[in-house]
Amino acid sequence: MTAPPGRTERRDVTVATVAVVAIAAAAAWVVTRDVPPRRDPPPAARPPATASPAPVAAEGPALVADVDGDGAPDRVALVESGDRAADTWRFGVRVLLATGAERVAWYPPGEGFNDAQEVAGSADVDGDGAAEVAVLLGTTVSARHYGLVTLAGDRLTVVPGTLQAERVPGRTRSWGCRDGRVHRLTVHREGDRFRGALRYYRLTAGRLVADGTATRTWSATRRPPPGYGGRAAVRCGSVGET
């Protein structure tokens, strides 16, 4: 039977269209199969956080003292951290308690000078049964500068202020501790006598609080006051020099 005119042409067009679609699909399948899927690179890993440098022991012997007042000996040592060239260097005091706990008190960067820092000794400055630590902060031509570190509650604390042992022509400055107080003595030569000015301090809540004054007079023909005839005197527990 002969198809009507025009129908054969439409069938041929339809067949051709189906063939083109099939070829395009096959080509897409081949491309998809041969080309691996795209994968985004993983995000860059963050560098691990850098902790602050751990304190390291400075030169000098360790001190044994009862810092927390429990009757057992604790170990005290000077520690340091940072870089001197970068002005980040600092020093502090580390106490290893008999219980195994550790406490550290840091002086701020820039404190101290002449690389002469050391743990100088200990004394129960305030009479509470626990020892304070005396630290030599540094020296100059005429003076030696000290500081105190105390365990206030459960925290090791730097006591603000310095204590000087100084000897210059005509004057000395000395310090010591007695009867639960710190005393500072400044002595001047006045003709045939020495006149001394005493200032007393109590250690309260980690600070030296003024607690009175007094004056002393010595004859120049008798034994000189503390500090004359030698270096300025320090008398506080195991800390001593003349």
Side-chain angles (χ1 to χ4, degrees):
M1 181 175 181
T2 304
R7 182 174 297 180
T8 302
E9 294 178 2
R10 286 195 298 269
R11 185 181 62 182
D12 294 343
V13 171
T14 302
V15 173
T17 301
V18 172
V20 170
V21 172
I23 292 172
W29 179 80
V30 171
V31 171
T32 305
R33 181 183 180 186
D34 293 342
V35 178
R38 178 180 176 182
R39 291 187 176 90
D40 293 331
R46 293 183 179 180
T50 303
S52 299
V56 297
E59 295 182 1
L63 173 75
V64 176
D66 184 10
V67 176
D68 57 1
D70 65 353
D74 309 308
R75 293 185 62 82
V76 184
L78 200 71
V79 292
E80 59 184 15
S81 177
D83 185 359
R84 292 178 185 268
D87 293 330
T88 60
W89 179 85
R90 61 178 180 169
F91 70 95
V93 173
R94 177 169 58 193
V95 176
L96 181 61
L97 300 173
T99 60
E102 181 181 274
R103 301 288 182 269
V104 179
W106 290 104
Y107 282 88
E111 188 80 18
F113 42 90
N114 293 355
D115 300 336
Q117 296 77 34
E118 65 180 37
V119 174
S122 64
D124 183 4
V125 172
D126 52 5
D128 65 350
E132 278 67 48
V133 178
V135 181
L136 179 63
L137 304 177
T139 64
T140 60
V141 174
S142 61
R144 293 165 66 84
H145 303 263
Y146 293 85
L148 295 175
V149 173
T150 186
L151 190 64
D154 196 42
R155 181 180 179 183
L156 198 64
T157 303
V158 172
V159 178
T162 61
L163 301 164
Q164 289 182 339
E166 182 182 35
R167 184 173 185 268
V168 296
R171 186 190 71 201
T172 62
R173 288 178 179 170
S174 304
W175 71 277
C177 52
R178 184 175 60 249
D179 302 327
R181 295 192 296 182
V182 172
H183 60 265
R184 291 176 170 177
L185 173 63
T186 302
V187 178
H188 298 271
R189 177 73 181 264
E190 296 181 353
D192 61 350
R193 63 182 178 176
F194 298 99
R195 184 179 296 276
L198 271 166
R199 294 182 179 273
Y200 298 101
Y201 301 86
R202 286 195 181 275
L203 183 60
T204 304
R207 303 182 69 88
L208 289 175
V209 180
D211 191 47
T213 61
T215 59
R216 296 286 188 273
T217 302
W218 295 266
S219 170
T221 60
R222 297 183 180 181
R223 185 177 180 180
Y228 270 85
R231 290 193 301 177
V234 176
R235 290 287 182 270
C236 186
S238 65
V239 188
E241 66 171 72
T242 56

